Amino acid sequence: MAYRETPAVRRRLDAARDRLVAEATDVVAEVGWAGASVTAVAAAAGMSAGSVYQHFSSKAALAVEVFRRASGREVEVLGEVLRDGGGDPVERLAHGVEVFARRAMERRGLAYALLAAPADPAVGAERLEYRRRYRALFAEVVREGVAAGLLPEQDPGITAAALTGAIGEILVDPLVDPSDAAERLVAELRALSLRCAGASPAPA
Amino acid sequence: MAYRETPAVRRRLDAARDRLVAEATDVVAEVGWAGASVTAVAAAAGMSAGSVYQHFSSKAALAVEVFRRASGREVEVLGEVLRDGGGDPVERLAHGVEVFARRAMERRGLAYALLAAPADPAVGAERLEYRRRYRALFAEVVREGVAAGLLPEQDPGITAAALTGAIGEILVDPLVDPSDAAERLVAELRALSLRCAGASPAPA
DNA sequence: GTCTATAGAATGATAGAC
DNA sequence: GTCTATCATTCTATAGAC
């Protein structure tokens, strides 16, 4: 009898792929892109190195998927806060920056890998794409802020790019350890973002 | 008699190497890292592909050298303007941002390659290093501005990171073409940088 | 019986130790 | 400079799904 893939098999394969991506994400968060060898990732996911190639055509393809999933989550969370977070546009901006920063500091290794760590060019290309998405989200809330008269006239696209670049850069380098300094960093980042957008001194 | 390198030979080799790096820089500016094959770069420098490896152990090593030289020039120029440009710290900051932006827009392809284009991880690592240098330069001028009472109290390191990230990100994406829009971009960038640092409305 | 997914070993390239 | 370890990827044989 001829072989045909059943739903059960499909599910098992999909689950294995999911697990592979999830485990690979953890490995990358811990040891970075450079340390995340196919062997190490496969071991973490409980499969052989060869089996990885049943799911991805290359290590780079797996890396891209890891990047997309993790970054996609962040874009989604940020988008929700900026759009539906409640409050006026400036409050939403401040809150969005805070949430983004806190999440990055909670998973520092992953944040570094996603934002700045040297990576395969394929991941680099994906980074550009996701930065575009962050910019679109910030641009919208800045536009609303200007329309509401809460922010001075400005090119929202440029301010959005500045916010994206600034936040990424700030969260990258020291990514300070003591959780006391973390709160200070969030506060500074929040203040700075509002200054960038031209919000008057310090709302709440 | 055993072969020993004479000064004349040394000079010729150094000149060839210099020329190789310079031509490679132009190639990268035109076609990006991905398009800059060893063959193309060698042809531009008037040597065989094999000869490239007389000067660099790998394509990545050549790429790193291209990056270092070009970025080093920018760091130097920016440093000079920020430190010795004349005027108070805020004026120097504004001027530095303008100069940096104008130079980037004049050599758009190169700027993109240096700032954001997907590249070999070795280049990515170098990018982190040079961003650190930009930050150090900005941090110093912000510190002076705060000390002079021209800027509000702030963590200069964080503001410097924000400026570095913001400027890089803004100069990356559309990098608008019409030279009219270019002037507008410079003006927006300047205003935004000053807002980031908390400078009062618009000095000159 | 036929096809697939998988583990595990072979291969070729690269980098680091010595 | 040679040797070794490790890496990504491919190959091969088998166990298991149909």
Side-chain angles (χ1 to χ4, degrees):
Chain A
M1 178 187 177
Y3 177 90
R4 280 210 314 176
E5 181 184 83
T6 61
V9 170
R10 178 80 271 148
R11 265 196 304 280
R12 196 168 50 74
L13 282 173
D14 287 350
R17 197 186 126 110
D18 273 5
R19 185 157 138 72
L20 174 58
V21 175
E23 296 292 340
T25 303
D26 287 347
V27 173
V28 167
E30 275 159 38
V31 300
W33 299 108
S37 69
V38 172
T39 316
V41 164
M47 65 175 68
S48 75
S51 294
V52 168
Y53 291 85
Q54 284 291 326
H55 301 284
F56 294 96
S57 61
S58 69
K59 186 187 169 173
L62 169 57
V64 165
E65 182 62 20
V66 165
F67 181 90
R68 279 199 186 131
R69 276 215 214 168
S71 294
R73 276 194 294 272
E74 298 313 311
V75 166
E76 225 168 281
V77 169
L78 181 62
E80 269 169 31
V81 174
L82 291 184
R83 275 190 307 261
D84 321 315
D88 67 44
V90 172
E91 284 162 0
R92 273 180 278 138
L93 172 60
H95 188 211
V97 171
E98 271 190 45
V99 167
F100 187 84
R102 288 226 171 77
R103 287 175 62 87
M105 289 188 300
E106 257 164 42
R107 297 208 64 184
R108 173 190 315 264
L110 184 59
Y112 178 68
L114 298 180
L115 289 171
D120 188 285
V123 171
E126 216 56 29
R127 247 184 212 146
L128 292 179
E129 168 59 22
Y130 276 82
R131 292 202 152 222
R132 236 171 268 136
R133 298 191 192 183
Y134 287 125
R135 292 215 302 250
L137 295 176
F138 283 127
E140 180 53 29
V141 77
V142 169
R143 195 172 296 116
E144 289 174 39
V146 172
L150 296 166
L151 297 176
E153 275 312 318
Q154 62 195 289
D155 181 328
I158 289 183
T159 303
L163 288 168
T164 303
I167 295 166
E169 186 77 16
I170 288 171
L171 288 174
V172 150
D173 196 38
L175 268 171
V176 283
D177 240 322
S179 65
D180 169 71
E183 273 314 302
R184 193 180 62 78
L185 184 67
V186 170
E188 284 266 7
L189 189 48
R190 180 194 150 103
L192 185 131
S193 299
L194 294 178
R195 285 205 307 267
C196 263
S200 28
Chain B
M1 179 184 176
Y3 177 84
R4 279 208 314 174
E5 181 184 280
T6 62
V9 170
R10 177 79 274 152
R11 265 196 304 281
R12 197 168 49 71
L13 282 173
D14 287 351
R17 196 186 126 111
D18 273 5
R19 171 130 195 274
L20 173 58
V21 174
E23 296 292 341
T25 303
D26 288 345
V27 173
V28 167
E30 275 158 38
V31 300
W33 300 108
S37 66
V38 171
T39 316
V41 164
M47 62 175 72
S48 74
S51 297
V52 169
Y53 291 90
Q54 288 288 327
H55 301 285
F56 294 96
S57 61
S58 68
K59 185 183 166 178
L62 169 57
V64 165
E65 183 60 21
V66 166
F67 180 90
R68 279 199 186 131
R69 275 212 216 169
S71 295
R73 275 194 295 272
E74 298 313 312
V75 166
E76 224 167 282
V77 169
L78 180 62
E80 267 167 34
V81 174
L82 291 184
R83 275 191 307 261
D84 320 316
D88 67 44
V90 172
E91 285 161 0
R92 274 181 276 137
L93 171 59
H95 188 211
V97 170
E98 272 191 42
V99 168
F100 187 85
R102 287 227 171 77
R103 288 175 62 88
M105 290 188 303
E106 258 165 42
R107 296 207 64 183
R108 175 191 312 266
L110 184 59
Y112 178 68
L114 298 180
L115 289 171
D120 189 285
V123 171
E126 216 56 30
R127 247 183 211 146
L128 292 178
E129 169 58 23
Y130 276 83
R131 292 200 152 224
R132 237 171 266 135
R133 297 191 192 182
Y134 288 125
R135 293 215 302 251
L137 295 176
F138 283 127
E140 180 53 28
V141 77
V142 168
R143 195 173 296 116
E144 289 174 39
V146 172
L150 296 166
L151 297 175
E153 275 310 319
Q154 62 196 289
D155 181 328
I158 289 183
T159 303
L163 288 168
T164 303
I167 295 166
E169 186 78 16
I170 288 171
L171 288 174
V172 150
D173 197 37
L175 269 171
V176 283
D177 242 321
S179 64
D180 169 72
E183 273 315 302
R184 195 180 61 78
L185 184 67
V186 170
E188 284 266 6
L189 189 49
R190 180 194 149 103
L192 185 131
S193 299
L194 294 178
R195 285 207 305 270
C196 263
S200 28

